[in-house]
Amino acid sequence: EDAPTVDQLDQRIRVLERQLELQQEDADTNARKTATVSASDKGFTIQSADNAFQFRFRGLMQADGRWFLDDKAPRTNDGFLLRRVEPTFELTFSRILFLRIQPNFAPDSATVSDVYGELRLDPAFYLRAGKFKEPIVLENLQASAGIKFNERGLPNEIGPNRDYGVQVGGDLLGSTLSYAIGVFNGAPDGRDGKQQPDTDNRKEVAGRLFVEPFKNDPGLLQGLGFGVGGSCGDKNGSGDSSQVKYRTPGQNTFFSYLAGSGGTVAYDGAETRISPQAYFYRNRYGLFGEYIVSRQKVSLASDSATLSNKAWQVLGNVVLTGEDASYAGIVKPKRALGKDGYGAVELIARYGELEIDKDAFPIYASPTASANKARNWAAGINWYPLANLKIGLDYSQTGFDGGAASGDREDEKLLFTRFQVAF
Amino acid sequence: EDAPTVDQLDQRIRVLERQLELQQEDADTNARKTATVSASDKGFTIQSADNAFQFRFRGLMQADGRWFLDDKAPRTNDGFLLRRVEPTFELTFSRILFLRIQPNFAPDSATVSDVYGELRLDPAFYLRAGKFKEPIVLENLQASAGIKFNERGLPNEIGPNRDYGVQVGGDLLGSTLSYAIGVFNGAPDGRDGKQQPDTDNRKEVAGRLFVEPFKNDPGLLQGLGFGVGGSCGDKNGSGDSSQVKYRTPGQNTFFSYLAGSGGTVAYDGAETRISPQAYFYRNRYGLFGEYIVSRQKVSLASDSATLSNKAWQVLGNVVLTGEDASYAGIVKPKRALGKDGYGAVELIARYGELEIDKDAFPIYASPTASANKARNWAAGINWYPLANLKIGLDYSQTGFDGGAASGDREDEKLLFTRFQVAF
Amino acid sequence: EDAPTVDQLDQRIRVLERQLELQQEDADTNARKTATVSASDKGFTIQSADNAFQFRFRGLMQADGRWFLDDKAPRTNDGFLLRRVEPTFELTFSRILFLRIQPNFAPDSATVSDVYGELRLDPAFYLRAGKFKEPIVLENLQASAGIKFNERGLPNEIGPNRDYGVQVGGDLLGSTLSYAIGVFNGAPDGRDGKQQPDTDNRKEVAGRLFVEPFKNDPGLLQGLGFGVGGSCGDKNGSGDSSQVKYRTPGQNTFFSYLAGSGGTVAYDGAETRISPQAYFYRNRYGLFGEYIVSRQKVSLASDSATLSNKAWQVLGNVVLTGEDASYAGIVKPKRALGKDGYGAVELIARYGELEIDKDAFPIYASPTASANKARNWAAGINWYPLANLKIGLDYSQTGFDGGAASGDREDEKLLFTRFQVAF
């Protein structure tokens, strides 16, 4: 065979150059067209190459134990339970349409937590419709994966939980001010609203303003936030699904309005709630507090009154292993178990009170069956071996004024355990 | 360093040529072996490189409002609701086995809409088993994401809804003829069938033939389709789950057979349904109509009779912004919101009637509690800002003959709102 | 144009060499960073490039028919049903944390089958919390997609089903020994446990040891396994959710303790279960057997007794088309339908008995309403056209001692059909 000529080599190099160029173009085209996937501690996603469409799978599983330390107290049985089982689909369409479907399989009959569509026209304006949390109570708005104790505190018994309705909201001033205002079917204190056919024809308006003035300024006050939430609306109803019942952290009812053969107390007009709230997070330390008062008109037979029930709490946490505390709540350990350490550890403490209007007794509630005041303190420890795992142990004690034939209802003393997987 | 020789260059070029070849082979092999993903307005998929296995995630969320315009009419309360929350898994195995799991989280206790497996041996023959819609009523067979009004019309109250059973079907003659025939537990008018233990031992056979003669011929009549569905089967039962109740679009019952202390009407023998149906779609215009009659044997104490209840409706729509109308129903806007326009807009109108057999009164139904005829008309507007979003507003009015102590039941006047995300 | 010089060619080749190297590095980096997906008969997965995080979607759908061959027997109505509809998410985080969420949409109200988190610190040790099967009964621990008959046999009526609790377990000695021990709320015979608030404050400990001594030695005895499961715990309760009811394969109750106006039998103290068990799989043949006895203290008014109920069964299968039989149960056909054959076919047969303690009658159970012994035999055929599809037909006949006013309860004769998609 003859040695190749320089011209032949030149030819072959040209071919190679062109082939390489084409290969690179192919790869670039593919990257532009091909949807991408990811799997991490933040969940599992499929998204289109231009990011306009996204599927994200997230979830939360809480396997709890509840152990009452005193057999005398009025209480449910000890035992294991699934507190939340929420596989969650978060979907984005054309960049501006968002859909969240969050079922909850923990109850014996599965139901939904959040389900809503949201049209995000601007950071400063979204329109949301479906079922979601009324924008009022600070701890209630914290994601369930991030709350510090097994059960939220007493103010959540007065604020509403999730409800059916529409809401607008957004972030202003460089995200230092967030607002939300919505119209809802109306939820009884501490509970979910009911969907149409609603318990009544009246609707409830709820809103919240929250400010983090130094959010964009690294410094001492960067993690400071404060605001106010509230609601107002007529209510009308006396059935079980509109009845007010306040519960302890152990989920035992310590206050309810009279119901039954002696007559049933009815919601009978305006309810107004207002809740100032604040938090402060700085490095490993976190503190938040909130207050809520609800004024509501109730009636029984020919009597009627406007009663004010109120609650407040303060909650603090410190991450012993040095990771940052935050309102989002989940601590991602610097040194994970099975890798280079044993995870993160956090101490938590809380105190709160709930007080019933004195005028509720004895016409609208029985002083020997319902307490007029509850005081709860709780302390515990959370261990985060991995970013997606939390193992928690906390003790909660609730004392009462009234609520028993003999005077004060027995204290509820309760040990909580939790095994939580969140992603 | 010496200048390279031509032979050395030749050597290096050979190496490059071989490397490039290998790289290309690797890329091709990967493409052949690697499962692919996609994310678009059609949903989210994972499929094997040979397309034999496919996971497809789809969904539907309808957040509605129902606002009755007249407080006098017998009706439920106004309010917001979740009408359908259906995250849906469509799975394909070995090309020929299909599985659809469509839960519905809208009810307070989650349930399933469709669940079935389907062995697709040929375009002309599939075998299906599970829970799915009986093949009878045209509007009922239309996907819930594509129906024009918030609630389907009166013929759907007489046809069955989903049921448990097995079905065979397929497409013949170049897909211009489709057939389906199945055996089911048997569903009461307007409702889902019950699974084993069924209300009775008897089964129901349902089938449908539908022709689109010009489907493959572009031209005036391409969008024309017509056919007939029907069912027959013995029924036997009087409990709540087999009781016939006809509802208005506002979901208020306006007719039911007698039940209770005065005796309860029982299904007591054969029920036969027959439903001729047709549609025509041409560019931006759509029109469809259907009729259904049900003959069923009922009894009360020593009386028995075979009663014929019937209903029909005509429904039209026009897409103002020029997109195509179709039976599938979803309009994909040419100019989407947030991109180059404001989406698509469609006007919709409907008229329908439902008539009870005159012999039903007064033995089997109370003339003062149940109407003997209902007339519904409705009109509305649908806005499709994006391919996956529909915002709808429609008005529905239903008038009655009979059904009240004073003569005619009050008209139902109802404003519907809908925020729908479908993919 | 001048001919290129050798030096120029050398330059261009260097550039190409470098580009090719970079392209290869890019591809390698991408492969290391990019999450991968797969779609096959084993399900659908997304996993991070380092395999630490994984999403796996699996599922099971069983569309059944139940056809009783004798109208005289006490029984439910014939009909179609969805037996299991279980889309399942299996998630792995940081390699060592596993989460399984398995809803079941077959009941009219959706619920969960399995939900648990599992920290897998070592093959020899995991910690699990949530809701899952108590580790006792062999056939119960077999995956529902793999059981041979439509309904499990009589020993499953005495063992517990799923329960809420925590468990540790693992594999030792080269996986030839597996162990599991857990604490649970306590489940009544044949049923799921109830979550907190539990029916009582007492808990149940359950455990199981299972040996496959020749698992790693190919040879005659490789598929041999045997072991023992058991539970003990105090029980206390008489409500419907703690009441013992034994059912036939047709899901008709043939034994229950007295309940109602004449007094209700209560669990009233210790229950102990013990269950020796074994299986043997060899090529196309499979055989397994198990025995279970439950001793439990019951009381009614001033009477109390400790009663021993027991059951056993033997089950065999042979795969006619030559594929391997296994405890996992699913047969993957060598020649699939629509490809190169007609799938796999298997014959199955079973015999089992359940015997009530003689002392149960007549104080704690009625001899004319509850049988004291049941004998079940069943035989059938399973066809696996594809790896993910099973179509089954089996016949089950159950005879009784006692249980009817006239002496023996009528035999239950039952034809089962199943259309199963599993992946």
Side-chain angles (χ1 to χ4, degrees):
Chain A
E1 199 181 337
D2 287 347
T5 67
V6 167
D7 270 355
Q8 284 172 331
L9 292 185
D10 179 45
Q11 253 338 303
R12 283 164 60 197
I13 293 176
R14 275 176 211 272
V15 167
L16 281 173
E17 285 167 344
R18 182 64 191 142
Q19 282 179 342
L20 205 64
E21 209 176 283
L22 287 173
Q23 223 181 47
Q24 190 60 48
E25 276 168 21
D26 273 10
D28 292 352
T29 307
N30 270 343
R32 261 197 314 278
K33 287 192 322 185
T34 305
T36 58
V37 294
S38 75
S40 76
D41 61 302
K42 305 291 185 201
F44 303 89
T45 62
I46 301 177
Q47 59 186 12
S48 60
D50 64 357
N51 285 334
F53 294 86
Q54 190 185 56
F55 163 95
R56 185 170 176 207
F57 183 70
R58 304 180 59 190
L60 172 63
M61 195 270 324
Q62 295 171 336
D64 286 12
R66 290 183 189 158
W67 314 100
F68 293 89
L69 299 188
D70 187 344
D71 273 355
K72 285 179 302 182
R75 62 175 188 83
T76 55
N77 289 321
D78 295 342
F80 298 102
L81 72 152
L82 288 169
R83 183 62 178 88
R84 288 181 185 87
V85 179
E86 301 180 333
T88 301
F89 302 100
E90 292 181 349
L91 309 156
T92 307
F93 306 93
S94 306
R95 292 180 205 279
I96 59 173
L97 178 62
F98 176 80
L99 174 63
R100 179 179 169 88
I101 299 181
Q102 183 176 65
N104 185 4
F105 289 98
D108 291 328
S109 293
T111 178
V112 284
S113 299
D114 278 349
V115 174
Y116 58 82
E118 199 173 277
L119 191 57
R120 295 174 171 175
L121 294 174
D122 190 275
F125 185 81
Y126 67 77
L127 167 68
R128 182 191 285 188
K131 182 189 182 191
F132 47 94
K133 290 175 181 172
E134 286 196 34
I136 304 183
V137 177
L138 185 62
E139 197 188 17
N140 188 45
L141 292 170
Q142 202 173 19
S144 298
I147 56 172
K148 293 295 153 193
F149 289 90
N150 275 33
E151 299 297 334
R152 292 183 173 91
L154 293 168
N156 291 279
E157 292 302 307
I158 291 186
N161 195 13
R162 288 185 174 85
D163 205 349
Y164 298 83
V166 296
Q167 178 175 300
V168 297
D171 292 328
L172 302 170
L173 308 176
S175 285
T176 58
L177 171 64
S178 73
Y179 75 96
I181 184 161
V183 185
F184 300 90
N185 281 351
D189 292 3
R191 296 165 69 184
D192 280 356
K194 197 175 167 303
Q195 62 181 331
Q196 194 269 352
D198 192 6
T199 47
D200 61 30
N201 274 316
R202 289 95 185 265
K203 302 301 142 206
E204 179 166 80
V205 174
R208 181 171 174 260
L209 274 180
F210 200 79
V211 192
E212 294 167 280
F214 310 102
K215 188 176 184 178
N216 306 314
D217 307 316
L220 179 64
L221 298 175
Q222 189 175 22
L224 172 70
F226 53 89
V228 62
S231 69
C232 61
D234 264 14
K235 296 195 173 176
N236 189 340
S238 61
D240 183 62
S241 57
S242 57
Q243 195 66 24
V244 170
K245 291 168 186 164
Y246 297 134
R247 296 159 306 171
T248 63
Q251 306 300 298
N252 292 302
T253 299
F254 66 86
F255 173 85
S256 59
Y257 288 115
L258 289 170
S261 58
T264 294
V265 171
Y267 271 117
D268 187 24
E271 174 172 21
T272 312
R273 300 186 188 97
I274 188 118
S275 175
Q277 52 196 256
Y279 61 58
F280 181 56
Y281 292 94
R282 173 83 183 149
N283 300 334
R284 65 171 71 182
Y285 302 98
L287 187 71
F288 86 68
E290 56 182 337
Y291 171 90
I292 185 167
V293 56
S294 159
R295 283 171 54 85
Q296 61 189 42
K297 190 150 169 278
V298 299
S299 68
L300 177 62
S302 60
D303 291 310
S304 80
T306 297
L307 303 177
S308 290
N309 301 332
K310 37 189 168 266
W312 62 272
Q313 72 171 341
V314 174
L315 193 156
N317 62 313
V318 50
V319 186
L320 297 182
T321 41
E323 286 85 352
D324 280 350
S326 78
Y327 178 65
I330 294 270
V331 176
K332 186 170 176 174
K334 284 178 185 164
R335 299 167 179 275
L337 180 73
K339 224 173 161 184
D340 54 358
Y342 295 94
V345 174
E346 167 189 57
L347 296 183
I348 53 176
R350 169 176 80 187
Y351 183 79
E353 298 188 347
L354 187 152
E355 193 175 351
I356 306 294
D357 196 309
K358 292 286 180 273
D359 293 342
F361 303 92
I363 298 176
Y364 307 101
S366 154
T368 57
S370 288
N372 63 68
K373 188 163 184 176
R375 289 172 210 84
N376 172 257
W377 71 264
I381 186 165
N382 289 322
W383 175 35
Y384 304 83
L386 304 168
N388 299 104
L389 177 62
K390 177 173 111 173
I391 293 175
L393 175 70
D394 53 85
Y395 174 79
S396 161
Q397 182 165 336
T398 310
F400 307 93
D401 288 355
S406 55
D408 294 343
R409 182 183 166 104
E410 289 276 348
D411 285 6
E412 179 186 273
K413 296 173 187 173
L414 176 51
L415 205 64
F416 279 111
T417 58
R418 168 159 290 173
F419 184 100
Q420 171 179 301
V421 182
F423 60 100
Chain B
E1 200 180 339
D2 287 349
T5 67
V6 167
D7 270 355
Q8 286 171 329
L9 292 184
D10 178 45
Q11 252 337 301
R12 284 163 60 197
I13 293 176
R14 275 178 211 271
V15 167
L16 281 173
E17 285 166 343
R18 180 65 188 141
Q19 283 178 340
L20 206 64
E21 207 175 285
L22 287 172
Q23 225 183 45
Q24 190 60 48
E25 276 169 20
D26 274 10
D28 292 351
T29 306
N30 271 343
R32 261 197 313 278
K33 286 192 322 186
T34 304
T36 57
V37 294
S38 74
S40 76
D41 61 301
K42 304 292 184 201
F44 304 89
T45 63
I46 301 177
Q47 60 187 11
S48 60
D50 64 357
N51 285 334
F53 294 86
Q54 188 184 58
F55 162 95
R56 186 170 176 207
F57 183 70
R58 304 179 59 190
L60 172 62
M61 196 269 324
Q62 295 172 336
D64 287 11
R66 289 182 190 157
W67 314 100
F68 294 88
L69 298 188
D70 188 343
D71 273 355
K72 286 177 302 181
R75 62 174 187 87
T76 55
N77 288 320
D78 293 342
F80 299 103
L81 71 151
L82 289 169
R83 183 60 178 88
R84 290 184 185 87
V85 180
E86 302 180 331
T88 301
F89 302 100
E90 291 182 349
L91 309 157
T92 307
F93 306 93
S94 306
R95 292 180 203 279
I96 59 173
L97 178 62
F98 177 79
L99 174 62
R100 180 179 169 88
I101 300 181
Q102 182 176 67
N104 185 3
F105 290 97
D108 291 329
S109 293
T111 180
V112 284
S113 298
D114 278 348
V115 174
Y116 58 83
E118 199 172 278
L119 191 57
R120 295 174 172 175
L121 294 175
D122 190 275
F125 184 81
Y126 67 77
L127 166 68
R128 182 190 286 187
K131 182 189 182 192
F132 47 94
K133 290 174 181 171
E134 287 196 35
I136 305 184
V137 177
L138 183 62
E139 197 187 16
N140 188 47
L141 293 169
Q142 201 173 21
S144 298
I147 55 172
K148 292 297 154 194
F149 288 90
N150 275 33
E151 300 297 335
R152 291 183 174 91
L154 292 168
N156 291 277
E157 292 302 307
I158 290 187
N161 195 14
R162 289 185 174 84
D163 205 349
Y164 298 83
V166 297
Q167 178 174 302
V168 297
D171 291 329
L172 302 170
L173 308 176
S175 286
T176 58
L177 171 64
S178 73
Y179 74 97
I181 185 161
V183 185
F184 300 90
N185 281 351
D189 292 3
R191 296 165 70 183
D192 280 356
K194 200 176 165 300
Q195 63 181 330
Q196 194 270 350
D198 192 6
T199 48
D200 61 29
N201 274 316
R202 289 95 185 266
K203 302 302 144 208
E204 178 167 83
V205 174
R208 180 171 174 261
L209 274 180
F210 200 79
V211 191
E212 294 166 281
F214 310 101
K215 189 177 183 178
N216 306 314
D217 307 317
L220 178 65
L221 298 175
Q222 188 173 23
L224 172 70
F226 52 89
V228 62
S231 69
C232 62
D234 262 14
K235 295 194 173 176
N236 189 340
S238 62
D240 183 61
S241 58
S242 58
Q243 195 65 23
V244 171
K245 290 168 187 165
Y246 298 134
R247 297 160 304 173
T248 63
Q251 307 299 299
N252 293 301
T253 299
F254 67 85
F255 174 86
S256 59
Y257 288 116
L258 290 171
S261 57
T264 294
V265 171
Y267 271 118
D268 187 25
E271 175 174 19
T272 311
R273 298 186 189 96
I274 188 118
S275 176
Q277 50 197 254
Y279 61 59
F280 180 55
Y281 292 95
R282 173 81 184 151
N283 300 333
R284 66 173 69 184
Y285 302 98
L287 186 71
F288 87 68
E290 57 184 336
Y291 171 89
I292 185 167
V293 57
S294 158
R295 283 171 53 86
Q296 63 190 41
K297 191 151 169 277
V298 297
S299 68
L300 178 62
S302 59
D303 291 310
S304 81
T306 297
L307 303 176
S308 290
N309 301 333
K310 38 189 168 265
W312 62 273
Q313 71 171 339
V314 174
L315 192 155
N317 63 313
V318 50
V319 186
L320 296 182
T321 41
E323 288 85 353
D324 280 350
S326 77
Y327 178 64
I330 294 270
V331 176
K332 186 169 177 174
K334 285 179 185 163
R335 299 166 179 274
L337 180 72
K339 228 173 159 182
D340 54 357
Y342 296 93
V345 173
E346 167 188 58
L347 296 183
I348 53 177
R350 168 176 81 188
Y351 183 78
E353 298 188 348
L354 187 152
E355 193 175 349
I356 307 295
D357 195 310
K358 291 286 181 275
D359 293 342
F361 303 92
I363 298 177
Y364 307 101
S366 154
T368 57
S370 288
N372 62 67
K373 188 165 186 178
R375 290 173 209 83
N376 172 257
W377 71 265
I381 186 165
N382 290 320
W383 175 35
Y384 304 84
L386 305 168
N388 300 104
L389 177 62
K390 176 172 112 175
I391 293 176
L393 175 70
D394 53 83
Y395 174 80
S396 162
Q397 182 166 335
T398 310
F400 307 92
D401 287 355
S406 54
D408 294 343
R409 181 183 166 104
E410 287 277 346
D411 286 5
E412 178 186 272
K413 297 173 186 173
L414 175 52
L415 206 63
F416 279 111
T417 58
R418 168 158 291 174
F419 184 101
Q420 169 179 302
V421 183
F423 60 100
Chain C
E1 199 181 340
D2 289 348
T5 67
V6 167
D7 271 353
Q8 286 172 330
L9 291 185
D10 178 45
Q11 257 332 306
R12 284 165 59 197
I13 292 176
R14 277 178 210 273
V15 168
L16 280 173
E17 284 166 343
R18 181 65 189 141
Q19 282 179 340
L20 206 63
E21 209 176 284
L22 286 173
Q23 224 182 46
Q24 190 61 48
E25 277 170 19
D26 274 10
D28 292 352
T29 306
N30 271 343
R32 262 198 313 279
K33 287 191 323 184
T34 304
T36 57
V37 294
S38 74
S40 76
D41 61 303
K42 305 291 185 201
F44 303 89
T45 63
I46 301 177
Q47 60 187 10
S48 61
D50 65 357
N51 284 335
F53 295 86
Q54 189 184 59
F55 162 95
R56 186 171 176 206
F57 183 70
R58 304 179 58 190
L60 172 63
M61 195 269 327
Q62 295 171 335
D64 287 11
R66 290 184 189 157
W67 314 100
F68 293 89
L69 298 187
D70 188 343
D71 272 355
K72 285 178 302 181
R75 62 172 186 87
T76 55
N77 289 320
D78 294 342
F80 299 102
L81 72 150
L82 288 170
R83 182 62 178 87
R84 288 181 186 88
V85 179
E86 301 179 332
T88 302
F89 302 100
E90 292 182 348
L91 308 157
T92 307
F93 306 93
S94 305
R95 293 180 202 280
I96 60 174
L97 178 62
F98 176 79
L99 174 63
R100 179 179 170 89
I101 300 181
Q102 183 176 66
N104 185 3
F105 289 97
D108 291 328
S109 294
T111 179
V112 283
S113 299
D114 279 348
V115 174
Y116 58 83
E118 199 172 279
L119 191 58
R120 296 175 170 174
L121 295 175
D122 190 275
F125 185 80
Y126 66 77
L127 167 67
R128 182 191 285 188
K131 181 189 183 191
F132 46 93
K133 290 174 180 171
E134 287 196 35
I136 304 184
V137 177
L138 184 63
E139 197 186 17
N140 188 45
L141 293 169
Q142 201 173 22
S144 298
I147 55 172
K148 292 296 154 195
F149 288 89
N150 275 33
E151 299 297 334
R152 292 184 173 90
L154 293 168
N156 291 277
E157 292 302 307
I158 290 186
N161 195 13
R162 289 184 174 86
D163 204 349
Y164 298 83
V166 296
Q167 177 174 302
V168 297
D171 291 330
L172 302 171
L173 308 177
S175 285
T176 58
L177 171 63
S178 73
Y179 74 98
I181 184 160
V183 185
F184 300 90
N185 282 350
D189 293 3
R191 295 165 70 182
D192 280 356
K194 197 175 166 302
Q195 63 181 330
Q196 193 270 350
D198 192 6
T199 47
D200 61 29
N201 274 316
R202 290 93 184 267
K203 301 302 143 207
E204 178 166 83
V205 175
R208 181 170 175 261
L209 274 180
F210 200 79
V211 192
E212 294 167 281
F214 310 102
K215 189 177 184 179
N216 306 314
D217 307 315
L220 178 65
L221 298 175
Q222 188 174 24
L224 172 70
F226 52 89
V228 62
S231 69
C232 61
D234 263 14
K235 295 195 173 175
N236 190 340
S238 61
D240 183 60
S241 58
S242 56
Q243 195 65 24
V244 170
K245 291 168 187 165
Y246 297 134
R247 296 160 305 173
T248 62
Q251 307 299 297
N252 292 303
T253 299
F254 66 86
F255 173 86
S256 59
Y257 288 117
L258 290 170
S261 57
T264 294
V265 172
Y267 270 118
D268 187 24
E271 174 173 20
T272 311
R273 298 187 189 98
I274 187 117
S275 175
Q277 51 197 254
Y279 61 57
F280 180 57
Y281 292 95
R282 173 82 182 150
N283 300 334
R284 65 172 70 183
Y285 301 98
L287 186 70
F288 87 68
E290 57 184 336
Y291 171 89
I292 185 167
V293 56
S294 158
R295 283 173 53 86
Q296 62 189 42
K297 189 149 170 280
V298 298
S299 68
L300 178 62
S302 59
D303 293 309
S304 81
T306 296
L307 302 177
S308 289
N309 302 332
K310 38 190 169 264
W312 62 271
Q313 71 170 341
V314 174
L315 192 155
N317 62 314
V318 50
V319 186
L320 297 182
T321 42
E323 287 85 353
D324 280 349
S326 78
Y327 178 63
I330 293 269
V331 176
K332 186 169 176 174
K334 284 179 183 163
R335 299 167 180 274
L337 180 72
K339 227 172 158 184
D340 53 359
Y342 296 93
V345 174
E346 167 189 57
L347 295 184
I348 53 177
R350 168 175 83 187
Y351 183 79
E353 297 188 349
L354 188 153
E355 193 175 350
I356 306 295
D357 195 311
K358 292 287 182 273
D359 293 342
F361 303 91
I363 298 177
Y364 307 101
S366 154
T368 56
S370 287
N372 63 67
K373 189 164 184 176
R375 289 172 210 85
N376 172 258
W377 71 265
I381 186 166
N382 289 321
W383 175 36
Y384 304 84
L386 305 168
N388 299 105
L389 177 62
K390 176 172 112 174
I391 293 175
L393 175 70
D394 54 84
Y395 174 79
S396 162
Q397 182 166 334
T398 310
F400 307 92
D401 287 354
S406 54
D408 294 343
R409 181 183 166 104
E410 288 277 347
D411 286 6
E412 179 187 273
K413 298 174 186 174
L414 175 52
L415 205 64
F416 279 111
T417 57
R418 169 159 289 174
F419 184 100
Q420 170 179 301
V421 183
F423 60 99

